[in-house]
Amino acid sequence: MNKKLVHTPEGVRDIYGEEKAKKTIVERFLQEKIHCFGYLDIQTPTFEFFDVFSKEVGTTPSKELYKFFDKEGNTLVLRPDFTPSVARCAAKYFTDENVPIRLCYQGNTFTNTSELQGKLKEVTQMGAELIGDDSIQADAEMIALTIEALYHAGLSDFQISVGNLEYFKGICEEAGLDEETELELREFISGKNYFGAEELLERVGVNKKDKELLLRVSDLFGSVNILEDAKNAVSNKRSRHAIERLEKVYQTLCSYGVEKYVSFDLGMLSKYNYYTGIIFRGYTYGVGDAIVKGGRYDKLLSQFGKEAAAIGFVIVVDDLLAAMGRQNVMITGIEEPVKLYYTENDFPEKLMEAKGMRASGKRVELLHE
Amino acid sequence: MSEEKYLTFALGKGRLANKTMDLLEKIGITCEEMKDKASRKLIFVNEELKLRFFLAKGPDVPTYVEYGAADIGVVGKDTIMEENRRVYEVLDLGYGKCRMCVCGPKSARELLQHHEMIRVASKYPNIAKDYFYNKKHQTVDIIKLNGSVELGPIVELSDVIVDIVETGSTLKENGLVVLEEICPLSARMIVNQVSMQMEPERIKRLIGELREHL
């Protein structure tokens, strides 16, 4: 064995044996559920032109992308996530389609995050996108599907936290914040950094009433009861609409019967301009980050030339498996192959036997005695 | 459900940890085990309130919290900035106050006025880099040191240093002055993102009570 050749680079790894068997099963469960909701598989290339994942479109900073050149000198990028690719596809192949399009995907994504030790650079993602439907039912379907898929995969202790960017934006608009301040504030609020936000608002000189409203946003998370408080606190239309939307989505989720997994966080504000309305994340014990990320991105498709609302989510399969492992969730359905031993003399008979078993779907391993 | 799980605190070793325990005591959270200085235990438990505490080296606290090994951490702002981990930064605890500064001999003041290339020694390469590149737009060479950074300009390893200044007496004794202030620092409470979402009531209550006592 060449000892130098057996290593893998930092951030990527081999998955084999029982672990891979478990991963395959979990992926199958997730996929089954997504298919049950009528989503059709789509496969996009592993690498694409840089512009597909550029600053205006993507969620990953340019310096975290794996980039390389083709023979003509175009910059190519290993996909850091699927949504821009799927949006590009939808714009290209369903240009004139007016009915909702349901697409789902699965595959590996790549981010070059060198300083975050312990984070994998290649992870498997599975997700779904619902394009051309801006209804409350579409929002609820996405969240319900996420919950049902996670539950189907065997996870039972998790929370989907739902927010609506419009609430925060409405208050910012009312307070007359400029774009730069809003972006800075977003970072503080999404980091639940109350005092950082306070300092910023004092520096900018926002009036007392608006300041209190904005600061409250970082505290508005928890059960459905916070929606009432949030609504009563504001008077501007945009923010009130945002809460009304969340209330209706919640009612729909109650009809799905999944409300016990749902909580709200109005301070959840994505750093990127990619999401436009409802956003949600899935959290569970055992991993430090969200295992599901999703939301509405009504403007993204127009970057590719199609005006269509869209909402989607992605499950980070590797993180889900890590969480299930730490929570000791049993993953059932791993089949060990039956071992059949043969000698030179009885091979034809054993082979017949193996063929029969294989025909009935059994796993059989033929071994020399 | 929420009461069954332990909430784990990671505290930066030293003064910060003691002050934090004093503060927690004010809101009725104590840990008798921790007061026993002879103890060799690494982790301390308050069974009644379902809390666990452990002490860690400062720069490791954000790491424990990011990965959820601890739900809550208390550590200096300097460490949070340097480590740049994905955690919620929820409270300014107000103690451990000091400043992050660019320091050097008086003669070095001139070097900061232009965009010329200078050498900067620091224990905090990320903070130094962020300040010079993104705020001052000055290209610099950063030299990472692990302690006694003040030596840098004295032995001419670097032109200036980026370091924490509390009283300024070490600087003074070595003929250095504060040239520019980067930002004020103090102890902060950080929370793991997942813990915050999974146990919102419990953690919110804790933050609320602490905020009242500050």
Side-chain angles (χ1 to χ4, degrees):
Chain A
M1 182 174 72
N2 185 335
K3 289 248 169 75
K4 273 192 185 149
L5 280 179
V6 298
H7 292 292
T8 54
E10 201 185 307
V12 292
R13 65 193 197 99
D14 304 312
I15 302 174
Y16 61 96
E18 194 190 329
E19 190 186 0
K20 178 61 185 158
K22 282 182 176 168
K23 187 170 170 176
T24 308
I25 287 170
V26 166
E27 282 173 348
R28 201 175 66 218
F29 281 139
L30 294 172
Q31 204 165 38
E32 268 172 18
K33 216 15 129 186
I34 295 172
H35 285 162
C36 278
F37 277 65
Y39 287 77
L40 301 177
D41 288 312
I42 185 167
Q43 185 181 333
T44 62
T46 309
F47 57 84
E48 300 214 24
F49 288 123
F50 173 74
D51 293 342
V52 174
F53 302 104
S54 68
K55 201 174 153 196
E56 296 75 42
V57 189
T59 52
T60 314
S62 169
K63 64 173 184 181
E64 289 179 11
L65 296 172
Y66 280 102
K67 294 188 248 348
F68 51 102
F69 302 113
D70 67 5
K71 279 183 180 159
E72 277 94 51
N74 296 309
T75 311
L76 307 177
V77 166
L78 286 182
R79 61 176 171 225
D81 69 331
F82 279 88
T83 307
S85 303
V86 175
R88 178 186 57 71
C89 279
K92 187 174 170 192
Y93 301 109
F94 304 94
T95 322
D96 302 318
E97 207 96 19
N98 287 323
V99 290
I101 311 157
R102 288 178 164 80
L103 299 170
C104 65
Y105 58 81
Q106 173 198 4
N108 288 7
T109 56
F110 308 85
T111 38
N112 195 1
T113 54
S114 52
E115 73 262 88
L116 287 171
Q117 286 118 349
K119 284 259 147 76
L120 285 173
K121 292 174 178 173
E122 180 183 18
V123 293
T124 306
Q125 295 192 347
M126 185 179 286
E129 316 281 348
L130 173 46
I131 295 158
D133 189 345
D134 63 357
S135 66
I136 287 153
Q137 287 75 17
D139 291 350
E141 174 174 316
M142 269 299 154
I143 297 168
L145 173 53
T146 307
I147 293 168
E148 289 194 19
L150 290 176
Y151 189 77
H152 192 57
L155 201 67
S156 53
D157 211 355
F158 62 91
Q159 280 294 316
I160 304 294
S161 191
V162 186
N164 192 341
L165 270 176
E166 287 293 301
Y167 182 76
F168 174 73
K169 282 194 172 167
I171 304 177
C172 285
E173 200 177 69
E174 199 184 1
L177 293 188
D178 59 75
E179 204 180 333
E180 204 177 310
T181 318
E182 187 187 317
L183 276 178
E184 213 178 322
L185 185 63
R186 255 187 186 201
E187 205 146 316
F188 284 129
I189 302 271
S190 59
K192 306 250 177 281
N193 191 335
Y194 181 91
F195 57 91
E198 193 173 17
E199 212 177 78
L200 171 72
L201 292 172
E202 256 158 39
R203 201 174 66 222
V204 180
V206 175
N207 70 53
K208 193 160 172 279
K209 185 181 137 263
D210 289 333
K211 193 181 91 185
E212 270 166 22
L213 271 180
L214 285 164
L215 287 177
R216 275 206 64 191
V217 177
S218 70
D219 264 341
L220 287 170
F221 62 98
S223 68
V224 66
N225 303 328
I226 65 139
L227 292 185
E228 190 72 41
D229 295 349
K231 194 155 104 178
N232 292 336
V234 291
S235 51
N236 79 77
K237 260 195 187 152
R238 199 171 172 187
S239 300
R240 289 186 76 92
H241 275 311
I243 299 298
E244 279 156 19
R245 176 108 185 179
L246 285 175
E247 284 171 342
K248 285 179 189 151
V249 169
Y250 185 76
Q251 282 163 14
T252 318
L253 287 169
C254 291
S255 309
Y256 274 101
V258 295
E259 70 277 10
K260 77 168 183 165
Y261 298 104
V262 178
S263 58
F264 292 90
D265 183 359
L266 293 168
M268 181 166 44
L269 312 164
S270 179
K271 232 199 300 186
Y272 306 96
N273 276 325
Y274 179 100
Y275 291 117
T276 49
I278 287 212
I279 55 176
F280 57 95
R281 290 199 190 128
Y283 296 96
T284 185
Y285 294 108
V287 280
D289 202 358
I291 53 165
V292 180
K293 291 179 186 128
R296 189 161 272 293
Y297 50 96
D298 290 347
K299 304 244 166 65
L300 180 60
L301 266 84
S302 68
Q303 300 272 355
F304 300 104
K306 180 182 164 83
E307 293 293 334
I311 182 165
F313 73 83
V314 57
I315 300 173
V316 184
V317 179
D318 297 272
D319 285 349
L320 171 62
L321 275 154
M324 290 171 83
R326 287 186 194 139
Q327 292 174 26
N328 297 318
V329 175
M330 285 285 289
I331 298 173
T332 51
I334 300 177
E335 266 182 77
E336 285 288 329
V338 178
K339 288 186 167 65
L340 267 189
Y341 292 93
Y342 65 89
T343 59
E344 301 296 338
N345 301 328
D346 68 357
F347 184 74
E349 293 92 71
K350 290 288 182 190
L351 183 61
M352 281 305 287
E353 196 183 330
K355 270 177 144 177
M357 288 165 80
R358 283 170 184 161
S360 65
K362 284 252 162 55
R363 298 180 181 203
V364 185
E365 192 182 0
L366 273 173
L367 294 158
H368 197 291
E369 220 169 303
Chain B
M1 181 188 84
S2 64
E3 296 299 327
E4 289 162 15
K5 287 216 158 58
Y6 282 104
L7 268 189
T8 306
F9 286 74
L11 307 177
K13 263 184 204 164
R15 259 186 305 173
L16 222 55
N18 298 337
K19 286 222 165 161
T20 306
M21 292 316 289
D22 291 346
L23 177 67
L24 287 173
E25 212 164 316
K26 281 190 200 157
I27 62 163
I29 295 175
T30 53
C31 190
E32 291 306 319
E33 278 189 340
M34 247 174 129
K35 291 182 181 160
D36 177 11
K37 293 278 175 249
S39 170
R40 290 259 179 147
K41 269 193 179 170
L42 291 173
I43 198 150
F44 309 94
V45 187
N46 180 330
E47 281 299 342
E48 203 185 318
L49 296 168
K50 287 278 176 197
L51 297 172
R52 293 195 302 183
F53 299 86
F54 66 84
L55 298 176
K57 218 171 151 124
D60 295 337
V61 170
T63 313
Y64 283 113
V65 176
E66 181 183 32
Y67 291 108
D71 302 292
I72 298 172
V74 173
V75 71
K77 174 72 181 168
D78 50 310
T79 311
I80 298 173
M81 285 167 68
E82 180 63 23
E83 293 292 314
N84 199 15
R85 299 278 175 177
R86 268 184 298 178
V87 294
Y88 290 139
E89 186 183 330
V90 296
L91 267 185
D92 182 346
L93 296 171
Y95 45 80
K97 271 205 164 72
C98 47
R99 297 173 296 158
M100 185 63 75
C101 297
V102 181
C103 313
K106 276 202 187 89
S107 58
R109 196 178 293 275
E110 176 65 18
L111 297 171
L112 300 173
Q113 305 308 318
H114 315 290
H115 293 277
E116 68 181 291
M117 182 91 165
I118 55 169
R119 279 169 305 159
V120 181
S122 185
K123 260 197 283 187
Y124 304 94
N126 291 332
I127 295 175
K129 199 170 163 189
D130 179 60
Y131 181 68
F132 279 103
Y133 280 60
N134 300 329
K135 302 239 167 69
K136 279 184 71 77
H137 307 291
Q138 184 168 9
T139 312
V140 294
D141 237 352
I142 290 167
I143 304 164
K144 157 106 194 197
L145 291 179
N146 292 300
S148 304
V149 185
E150 292 83 2
L151 265 174
I154 300 172
V155 299
E156 288 177 353
L157 174 70
S158 68
D159 299 305
V160 295
I161 60 171
V162 166
D163 205 15
I164 293 177
V165 178
E166 216 176 326
T167 58
S169 52
T170 320
L171 288 175
K172 214 169 172 186
E173 275 175 41
N174 291 292
L176 304 177
V177 290
V178 171
L179 300 169
E180 278 172 13
E181 185 179 318
I182 297 177
C183 65
L185 303 168
S186 58
R188 306 291 160 101
M189 188 162 127
I190 54 176
V191 178
N192 173 268
Q193 299 184 46
V194 177
S195 311
M196 187 73 118
Q197 302 291 344
M198 298 297 282
E199 312 255 1
E201 302 312 325
R202 225 172 145 196
I203 296 176
K204 254 194 205 175
R205 188 165 8 110
L206 181 75
I207 296 170
E209 284 173 15
L210 284 173
R211 207 181 269 163
E212 273 170 33
H213 274 87
L214 289 173

